[in-house]
Every structure is written in C-alpha cells, then in structure tokens.
Amino acid sequence: GTMMSVSRLRTICEQAVSVNPDIVLLTGDFYTVEAYERSQHALANGLEPLKQLQGKLFACIGNHDQEHCARERATEDLKRIGAKFLVGDEATIELGS
C-alpha cells in the first residue's frame, strides 16, 4: 500500500513469527483508497509469513476497509493467509502452559 511496502510488512511478519507468539491480532485499516487500485493482493503477499501461525491468527476490519470495496479485498487476502476473520463473531483460545 501507500503507507508501508510489502517487503517491510513481510519483514515485520517474519520477525513476529520468529518469536512464536501465542496469538496475533490484525486489527484493520488494511487498505486505503489511494492504495486500493495499485495493491492487488499486496496485503496477502506482505502477511504471507503469518501462514505459519495457523490457529493463532485472527483479524477484523477497520473503518478504512469500508471504502471502495476494500472490505472484500481485505477479507480475501486475510483468508489467503489463514486468518480467522472475526466480524460480529468471537473465538476462544486455549494457551499452552
């Protein structure tokens, strides 16, 4: 997108995976109107390292994701990486001891 390059986002995600987190929450505002047309699946490409965190990865949308069909793009990209998409939903997580 226009706020962060795919390579920078990917590096951040690789760092997150390397610390073996119990949970990762992606809290929205993934796309802006300015980035939408130029960013075909940029979110999925940048977040791809998080695929390794199956069962630990959750996401919701933000207010900017309501613009210009960005919600559909964000939903598709988050599902590509295996995120549990929470919209009017909840999830219970059991953490290891």
Side-chain angles (χ1 to χ4, degrees):
T2 58
M3 303 296 176
M4 184 180 303
S5 69
V6 171
S7 63
R8 181 168 182 235
L9 179 57
R10 190 175 191 86
T11 297
I12 291 167
C13 291
E14 288 168 349
Q15 292 170 344
V17 169
S18 74
V19 298
N20 192 28
D22 290 325
I23 187 173
V24 172
L25 306 171
L26 304 173
T27 59
D29 288 345
F30 300 111
Y31 282 104
T32 62
V33 172
E34 298 83 8
Y36 183 81
E37 294 297 327
R38 295 184 299 232
S39 301
Q40 185 68 21
H41 303 296
L43 181 62
N45 294 334
L47 296 176
E48 193 273 334
L50 298 179
K51 278 185 171 181
Q52 300 173 56
L53 301 176
Q54 295 301 305
K56 299 179 177 183
L57 185 59
F58 299 87
C60 64
I61 58 167
N63 63 311
H64 291 281
D65 300 321
Q66 301 292 336
E67 302 171 354
H68 193 64
C69 303
R71 180 179 180 152
E72 290 82 9
R73 173 81 54 87
T75 301
E76 182 180 340
D77 285 356
L78 292 166
K79 287 181 178 179
R80 276 185 174 200
I81 63 161
K84 167 84 171 140
F85 197 62
L86 301 174
V87 176
D89 201 359
E90 61 184 52
T92 302
I93 303 160
E94 290 189 33
L95 300 177
S97 52

